[in-house]
Amino acid sequence: MQAKIISTGSYLPKKTISNAQLESLMDTSDDWIKTRTGIENRRISESENTSVLCGKAALDILKKANISASKIDLIIVATMSPDYLSPSTACLVQDYIGASKSMAFDLSAACSGFIYALSVAEKMLSSGNFHYALVLGGEVMSKMIDWNDRSTAVLFGDGAGGVLLESTDSIGSFISEDIHSDGSRGLALTAGALPVTNPYSENHLTDTYLEMEGRAIFDFATRSVPKSIEAVVDKASLTLSDIDRILPHQANSRIIQSMAKKLKIPFETFALNISDYGNTSAASIPILLDELVLSGDLVLGTGKKIILTGFGGGLTWGSMLIRI
Ligand code: COA
């Protein structure tokens, strides 16, 4: 059995916040944010939590596929901003869409989460035990960040996206993958700390906002991700010229420019929508994929070869070469 992507979808909260609007909240400027990151706007949720963003993205995916939620066997939600530690966001999504027979769980790999979740779902469908799987990436990053910290607050946004996978006897979508973790560098990006605090502990509650060594993450991404892109191409016995588009995690357009330079390929090979949404962590790749399908840039079933590549907290990073 193999797994095939048969539908894409996304959902973004309605409220758009521009760089100029952030100028009234903190000491920043449209020019600084645009030139250092490529971000111009981001969507911010006013009340919908991660499970609702993911649930709405799931309904969009199912509607486009004309498949009922009752047929779904598996739901994986990649997120670093769940509604609760328990129940999982995926269980909340299962209830929201009425996928009563599905197995559902969350996966934590920060901004690489969608890549990790796709990889896991592909293996589960290949086992022959699952037929339809919803793989979602969704985040409400706006509840994770310190709105007084200009070095992180300007970077992130909220949203959700995903794909529907179907198991098939014929050719599937997945050609090769290259996925890594390095826990030894984990503290370079932390969020939602849960220290031991109880009547007997020495600790006191600390703040749990996202904290990041921006420059270190920048260097890690520009060093590790091009190698991972080359690895999936090599494993498939292809060359970069065989690849139609690369869909990178949208963290910073300068990171993507550096990747293009290192790989010696045109910047235009990389798809970008960071200017509209900022960094939506696990949601960024599936939102981008859905936009490219909606615009007709990518057409499901044509067999074009694309690479999805993510990187972020953990540290985690990885790429998948797929036929769309
Ligand atoms: N507005 C205006 N000035 C800001 C600012 C903001 N929002 N944020 C930081 N600055 C200031 C800093 O205080 C610093 O000032 P100083 O020189 O007086 O100390 C200056 O801008 C440069 O800061 P620096 O951190 O060196 O900038 P940078 O060019 O490294 O860009 C990031 C910062 C965060 C945009 C960049 O490092 C980055 O994108 N890193 C990767 C982060 C990421 O993608 N994380 C998610 C991983 S998935």
Side-chain angles (χ1 to χ4, degrees):
M1 279 292 177
Q2 297 199 24
K4 188 173 179 176
I5 296 175
I6 58 166
S7 178
T8 66
S10 60
Y11 177 78
L12 289 142
K14 299 286 163 279
K15 193 169 192 67
T16 298
I17 299 291
S18 68
N19 293 344
Q21 284 170 287
L22 293 182
E23 288 175 8
S24 59
L25 278 187
M26 61 194 83
D27 181 15
T28 191
S29 68
D30 176 44
D31 184 57
W32 191 96
I33 302 171
K34 231 179 343 198
T35 52
R36 300 283 179 131
T37 70
I39 299 165
E40 294 180 36
N41 293 293
R42 72 281 295 139
R43 301 294 183 91
I44 299 294
S45 176
E46 292 174 281
S47 60
E48 295 161 316
N49 213 332
T50 306
S51 65
V52 176
L53 302 189
C54 288
K56 290 185 174 178
L59 292 177
D60 182 42
I61 297 166
L62 293 173
K63 192 171 161 209
K64 287 175 186 158
N66 196 22
I67 283 173
S68 144
S70 62
K71 290 193 168 165
I72 303 300
D73 307 296
L74 170 67
I75 301 172
I76 308 180
V77 173
T79 187
M80 61 178 283
S81 54
D83 297 23
Y84 303 93
L85 291 181
S86 182
S88 69
T89 313
C91 283
L92 298 172
V93 171
Q94 178 203 28
D95 181 50
Y96 187 88
I97 65 173
S100 52
K101 77 164 181 174
S102 70
M103 171 182 171
F105 65 94
D106 285 2
L107 188 153
S108 170
C111 303
S112 313
F114 186 70
I115 301 288
Y116 271 64
L118 257 191
S119 174
V120 170
E122 187 254 325
K123 310 295 174 296
M124 291 178 76
L125 261 63
S126 299
S127 75
N129 292 321
F130 302 88
H131 189 61
Y132 286 117
L134 273 171
V135 182
L136 304 163
E139 307 280 10
V140 177
M141 295 304 289
S142 60
K143 67 181 180 182
M144 309 296 290
I145 55 183
D146 177 356
W147 284 90
N148 295 312
D149 174 10
R150 66 178 183 170
S151 70
T152 52
V154 303
L155 302 175
F156 294 94
D158 303 335
V163 297
L164 180 63
L165 298 183
E166 182 181 23
S167 65
T168 172
D169 289 334
S170 64
I171 297 176
S173 303
F174 298 86
I175 301 174
S176 61
E177 66 178 36
D178 173 74
I179 302 180
H180 302 273
S181 312
D182 179 3
S184 73
R185 289 187 282 170
L187 297 186
L189 199 170
T190 60
L194 287 171
V196 176
T197 51
N198 60 46
Y200 310 101
S201 70
E202 292 163 2
N203 293 331
H204 301 287
L205 266 184
T206 52
D207 77 48
T208 61
Y209 293 124
L210 186 148
E211 286 178 14
M212 176 177 75
E213 294 167 24
R215 189 48 69 93
I217 298 287
F218 193 102
D219 291 345
F220 141 70
T222 54
R223 225 173 285 140
S224 304
V225 178
K227 284 186 198 150
S228 170
I229 291 173
E230 281 171 337
V232 286
V233 170
D234 283 351
K235 283 182 189 175
S237 303
L238 297 170
T239 64
L240 279 167
S241 59
D242 297 311
I243 306 303
D244 284 294
R245 291 314 283 280
I246 300 176
L247 281 61
H249 167 51
Q250 307 284 300
N252 186 323
S253 58
R254 286 192 298 134
I255 292 179
I256 299 169
Q257 274 160 7
S258 163
M259 288 177 190
K261 210 168 149 195
K262 285 203 169 150
L263 291 167
K264 300 190 178 66
I265 55 176
F267 181 55
E268 295 67 40
T269 311
F270 289 86
L272 246 79
N273 64 2
I274 189 170
S275 63
D276 295 333
Y277 309 123
N279 180 347
T280 56
S281 185
S284 80
I285 295 171
I287 291 171
L288 183 62
L289 176 62
D290 187 45
E291 277 196 354
L292 293 171
V293 170
L294 275 177
S295 69
D297 274 11
L298 292 176
V299 180
L300 296 181
T302 51
K304 278 193 171 179
K305 295 186 189 67
I306 66 170
I307 293 173
L308 313 181
T309 188
F311 57 89
L315 298 178
T316 55
W317 68 103
S319 307
M320 297 185 98
L321 201 170
I322 63 179
R323 118 178 14 89
I324 202 75

